[in-house]
Amino acid sequence: MLTRPSLPSSLARRFALAAAGLAAGALLLTSLASWWLLTRQHEDAMHELAARERQFHAQTIGLNLTALATRMTEVASSTILSTGLVDRTGKEIYLLPFLAGIRQVNGIPIQVLFTDYAGGEIASNNAAFSAEQRAWMREKLTLGRPASEIFLRDERPELVAFSPLLYPSSTTPKGGLLYKIALNSLHSDEHMKLLWGPQFADERSKSNPVAVPAVFSALDFRIQGMSLLDSNRSLSPLYLPIFLLVLGLFIAVVIGGAHMASVLTRDLRKLQLFASHLVRDGLSQERAQTTDTEEVASLSSSINQMLDRLYEQRQALTREGEKLVDLADALKRADKRKDEFVAMLAHELRNPLAPIMTGADMLKLAAQDDPLIQRTGQIIGNQAKHMARIIDDLLDISRITRGQVTLKLETIDFATVVAVATEQIRPLIEASQHHLTVALPPGPLPVNGDHARLVQVTSNLLNNAAKYTPEGGYLELRVIIENGELRMTVGDNGSGIDPDLMPEIFDLFTQGERSSGRRQGGLGLGLALVKSLIQMHGGRVTADSPGIGKGSSFNVHLPCGRIEDLPPPVVAELPNASGRALKLHLVDDNVDAAQTLAMLLELDGFQVAVSFDGVSTLHRVNADKDSPAIFILDIGLPDMDGTELAQRLRGLPHLQSAKMIALTGYGQASDKARSLAAGFDYHLVKPVDYEQLKALLAEIQESLRAAA
């Protein structure tokens, strides 16, 4: 028997020596028993092939189902796509483009449906789910756990799965992700059959289980199939002595060959064990052992060099990953600081604007017979309103990009939108000596929208036209109804739009070339706001221009509403100075802003008390027996927060019916929500439009009169 020290160092020579030693016995064996061995081996090979084929199909289907579940879990937990569940802008920008691009996973056609928390459809990639499947989804949505089921549709099985939409800020599902695939798309071999459900005892040896993720484990998938050839032929020897001889030689050759194979392949088996350990436990600093077999030693050396390089690359990738994580954290912090800076910048800019605008209104009201003072007040007020509009546009863009803008949708008459917008832009048009033509069809113009936001859209388009039209130019606003759609066109004969700029005209910070004829500056926010707000209303906006110096036009398309849904017109009464003066208490730590607003209110017949901090306000109110009907409070007071002051005033018995108005430089939606939750009845943003404030006071006075 060969021993290890007597063997040559070359593995090839070892196998050559072993082959020569076994040739004689193998020759006799193969000549007498080859027919039997070949038959048995063929049968075993066919069964093994069938088993391997089943295993291959089971692994392929398992990988496809794992990829499917992993992909859908990533989609269900995506915080970017979640904006599409609550925000139309997020749906247009993120959700719908994503759904348009996801049609297959690993080449398997998939149908996807997003729903809200009640099971109502939000969006899909043209998915068709039956009523039975939707009912099953709503049942699983109440449980809030992933699930799967097999449904038969037109005798074709469909795999339907459900994933709840859970996000870090919530503990209950915000909606559901329903998806399905056709089971026949998972495999195409006619000899292999995909089964599910309870398994019978007689099929265990003829089927292989499919390894699937947890969401599909309850379905008990398995692959069943048979060999293409059935080899059940039994051995029928011609002569018993020949059979016994062949059997003896076979046993001797097998035993000797097994020992020789063990000796010859010892180094290879060590390398195989090392590879299995590496696959199981992952990459580490452990390396393959060197041997005295030339081929195996060379292979081990190559493997160790490869492992060294892989380990170095993994270390480098780990360091790069840590850098990327740090960079992502830094970007998040920078984005948060940017939002905080924008909000604080708006607050700090609005505070000085408030007394400027109020002072301008007071100048015009106090010196109505002095044209110079009237003109000065008009100029100051117009420029302050222009600056306030830039601040509002900047904040609106910040809120829209974060998905924090919510529309107050109702059926309104678009004619009122045009009237308010043209009145807002009239000072700029008159200052530029423009000729504005407004053409509206007769009768009401119902649309379903947010009145304030549509006014903002219309005034932005008029403002844009006025800025790019020289003095004495012509502006036109025309509204028509066609095919159930309202179309508003704002045109001018101004500087026009460069064709190269046209594709980017609605992008943020995009502006035409500044010229000496342009009346006002800007940040390039107006048209971007127009596009975003119109898309949130379910409409669209387009631009057109014959070229430079030939004017331009912008077309806004909105779906029409129903005339019968229009509310009856309401006429608000302004305070009557001839009656009993309405008593107000104004609290603001900005002395200039408080005093100018108080003087302006007094000129309009109101009785105004002024305080500059919370403590003095409480002392004064407790000592005053004639309680104010309305409090106008700044939020950022020096000694206590305005919300705390409002709550303490509400706690006084004689002020429980008083109206609280928050007047602050903080104007984001979250700021308004906090002030209303603290007990304020209204929330106004500095610099306040005095006409808006007077209208609000008239509304409050009317409600107090009705309650009395």
Side-chain angles (χ1 to χ4, degrees):
M1 192 68 63
L2 292 175
T3 58
R4 185 177 181 86
S6 63
L7 294 175
S9 61
S10 171
L11 188 62
R13 287 194 293 271
R14 290 183 187 181
F15 278 101
L17 182 61
L22 294 175
L27 179 61
L28 180 60
L29 178 64
T30 54
S31 62
L32 297 176
S34 60
W35 62 272
W36 181 79
L37 291 175
L38 289 174
T39 301
R40 296 290 297 178
Q41 290 174 356
H42 182 265
E43 178 182 324
D44 294 340
M46 289 299 101
H47 285 289
E48 179 65 16
L49 180 61
R52 289 177 180 269
E53 189 173 1
R54 288 196 301 269
Q55 182 64 26
F56 170 78
H57 282 275
Q59 289 178 350
T60 301
I61 293 174
L63 290 174
N64 285 334
L65 291 176
T66 300
L68 175 66
T70 301
R71 180 59 173 149
M72 292 299 103
T73 301
E74 293 173 351
V75 172
S77 61
S78 172
T79 56
I80 297 177
L81 296 180
S82 67
T83 60
L85 303 177
V86 297
D87 186 301
R88 185 182 295 271
T89 300
K91 178 179 179 182
E92 295 291 337
I93 295 177
Y94 302 113
L95 190 54
L96 292 182
F98 168 79
L99 287 173
I102 180 169
R103 299 294 181 182
Q104 295 183 346
V105 175
N106 278 13
I108 300 173
I110 181 173
Q111 299 187 40
V112 182
L113 169 66
F114 280 90
T115 73
D116 56 23
Y117 65 90
E121 179 175 346
I122 294 178
S124 72
N125 62 349
N126 295 325
F129 290 90
S130 66
E132 180 186 5
Q133 293 169 353
R134 290 175 182 265
W136 173 83
M137 177 270 297
R138 286 190 288 272
E139 177 186 352
K140 300 305 177 184
L141 182 59
T142 60
L143 299 178
R145 297 193 301 270
S148 62
E149 186 61 74
I150 303 294
F151 291 88
L152 291 179
R153 187 171 185 180
D154 298 330
E155 301 301 325
R156 292 179 298 177
E158 294 181 335
L159 173 59
V160 180
F162 165 78
S163 290
L165 302 179
L166 294 171
Y167 303 106
S169 61
S170 66
T171 59
T172 58
K174 296 301 182 183
L177 173 64
L178 188 65
Y179 58 94
K180 71 175 180 180
I181 63 172
L183 284 183
N184 58 11
S185 63
L186 287 175
H187 68 100
S188 59
D189 194 328
E190 60 182 4
H191 303 290
M192 295 294 160
K193 186 177 182 181
L194 177 63
L195 302 178
W196 60 88
Q199 186 175 5
F200 299 100
D202 60 349
E203 69 177 65
R204 295 184 183 277
S205 62
K206 300 178 182 179
S207 63
N208 289 63
V210 178
V212 297
V215 67
F216 305 126
S217 59
L219 299 178
D220 196 13
F221 282 115
R222 57 196 181 278
I223 291 293
Q224 185 182 62
M226 291 297 295
S227 173
L228 298 179
L229 299 178
D230 184 14
S231 179
N232 293 322
R233 288 172 291 176
S234 60
L235 179 63
S236 299
L238 297 177
Y239 306 101
L240 183 59
I242 297 178
F243 171 76
L244 294 176
L245 178 60
V246 171
L247 181 61
L249 289 174
F250 176 74
I251 294 174
V253 171
V254 167
I255 294 176
H259 177 72
M260 292 177 63
S262 175
V263 173
L264 294 175
T265 61
R266 185 178 303 162
D267 293 337
L268 283 176
R269 284 186 282 109
K270 289 182 180 180
L271 189 60
Q272 180 186 16
L273 290 175
F274 169 75
S276 301
H277 173 73
L278 186 66
V279 171
R280 182 180 67 251
D281 298 335
L283 187 64
S284 65
Q285 292 184 320
E286 183 180 358
R287 298 295 179 263
Q289 297 179 357
T290 58
T291 67
D292 55 356
T293 303
E294 294 177 1
E295 291 84 356
V296 177
S298 176
L299 181 59
S300 299
S301 176
S302 299
I303 291 176
N304 289 338
Q305 292 178 8
M306 178 187 67
L307 292 177
D308 289 339
R309 294 189 62 184
L310 288 176
Y311 188 81
E312 293 174 358
Q313 291 175 358
R314 190 181 74 169
Q315 295 296 101
L317 288 174
T318 301
R319 291 191 295 270
E320 291 299 321
E322 293 173 351
K323 292 180 181 179
L324 289 176
V325 171
D326 294 340
L327 180 60
D329 292 338
L331 289 175
K332 290 179 181 178
R333 292 192 298 270
D335 186 63
K336 182 179 180 182
R337 288 196 296 269
K338 180 262 295 179
D339 292 338
E340 294 172 350
F341 170 76
V342 170
M344 182 57 66
L345 176 64
H347 176 265
E348 294 301 322
L349 290 175
R350 280 176 171 147
N351 276 334
L353 280 178
I356 293 174
M357 290 183 65
T358 307
D361 290 336
M362 189 176 64
L363 281 175
K364 293 187 290 182
L365 190 61
Q368 298 182 6
D369 56 347
D370 190 328
L372 179 60
I373 295 179
Q374 287 288 311
R375 178 59 179 162
T376 302
Q378 184 71 31
I379 293 173
I380 295 173
N382 290 343
Q383 296 305 313
K385 288 179 180 178
H386 177 64
M387 188 172 182
R389 185 165 56 249
I390 292 176
I391 296 171
D392 290 338
D393 285 350
L394 184 62
L395 284 176
D396 281 341
I397 284 294
S398 177
R399 287 195 292 265
I400 288 175
T401 54
R402 298 195 310 273
Q404 295 181 348
V405 171
T406 302
L407 299 180
K408 182 183 178 183
L409 296 177
E410 56 185 347
T411 303
I412 60 175
D413 187 352
F414 196 77
T416 63
V417 173
V418 174
V420 174
T422 53
E423 186 62 29
Q424 288 182 0
I425 204 67
R426 190 168 301 281
L428 176 59
I429 293 176
E430 292 177 350
S432 303
Q433 299 180 7
H434 289 149
H435 303 280
L436 173 62
T437 302
V438 178
L440 302 178
L445 305 172
V447 293
N448 188 36
D450 186 316
H451 186 276
R453 291 300 186 179
L454 291 178
V455 169
Q456 184 180 7
V457 166
T458 307
S459 63
N460 275 1
L461 290 176
L462 287 170
N463 182 73
N464 186 74
K467 286 193 298 184
Y468 288 96
T469 301
E471 289 188 0
Y474 290 87
L475 311 180
E476 180 186 25
L477 189 154
R478 184 174 67 258
V479 177
I480 62 173
I481 301 291
E482 57 182 10
N483 300 326
E485 187 178 66
L486 181 144
R487 187 181 74 190
M488 176 183 69
T489 301
V490 177
D492 61 71
N493 65 341
S495 57
I497 303 174
D498 190 330
D500 295 336
L501 187 65
M502 187 66 73
E504 306 170 358
I505 195 66
F506 292 105
D507 293 345
L508 276 176
F509 311 117
T510 298
Q511 291 181 294
E513 182 180 357
R514 294 180 181 268
S515 63
S516 58
R518 183 171 166 184
R519 303 297 299 171
Q520 297 188 28
L523 301 178
L525 304 176
L527 293 181
L529 266 176
V530 167
K531 179 181 179 181
S532 297
L533 291 174
I534 291 301
Q535 288 179 342
M536 292 176 67
H537 280 80
R540 66 189 190 280
V541 60
T542 60
D544 183 54
S545 175
I548 300 296
K550 298 181 180 180
S552 59
S553 62
F554 291 85
N555 298 292
V556 173
H557 301 261
L558 291 170
C560 289
R562 301 192 309 171
I563 294 179
E564 53 268 27
D565 292 337
L566 284 172
V570 178
V571 180
E573 296 183 10
L574 295 178
N576 188 357
S578 63
R580 182 175 179 269
L582 189 65
K583 187 172 183 180
L584 313 176
H585 197 125
L586 176 62
V587 183
D588 194 336
D589 61 329
N590 188 324
V591 177
D592 291 338
Q595 290 178 346
T596 53
L597 181 57
M599 287 187 289
L600 187 57
L601 289 168
E602 288 173 347
L603 287 174
D604 266 325
F606 295 100
Q607 184 180 350
V608 185
V610 180
S611 300
F612 305 111
D613 57 70
V615 174
S616 63
T617 301
L618 292 172
H619 288 314
R620 188 167 181 177
V621 168
N622 283 320
D624 190 358
K625 296 182 180 180
D626 188 9
S627 303
I630 301 173
F631 284 87
I632 303 177
L633 306 179
D634 186 18
I635 297 295
L637 296 175
D639 51 352
M640 70 176 66
D641 190 82
T643 57
E644 179 185 354
L645 177 59
Q647 291 171 345
R648 295 178 66 173
L649 291 172
R650 287 285 191 201
L652 299 177
H654 61 292
L655 294 179
Q656 291 183 356
S657 61
K659 299 296 182 181
M660 302 286 176
I661 301 175
L663 182 61
T664 174
Y666 296 104
Q668 300 196 56
S670 57
D671 302 321
K672 183 177 181 180
R674 280 194 296 269
S675 66
L676 296 179
F680 283 99
D681 299 292
Y682 306 95
H683 183 101
L684 299 179
V685 180
K686 294 180 180 178
V688 65
D689 188 323
Y690 185 66
E691 294 300 324
Q692 177 188 3
L693 177 60
K694 283 202 328 182
L696 176 59
L697 294 176
E699 178 184 339
I700 296 174
Q701 188 177 37
E702 182 63 27
S703 64
L704 294 175
R705 185 184 300 116

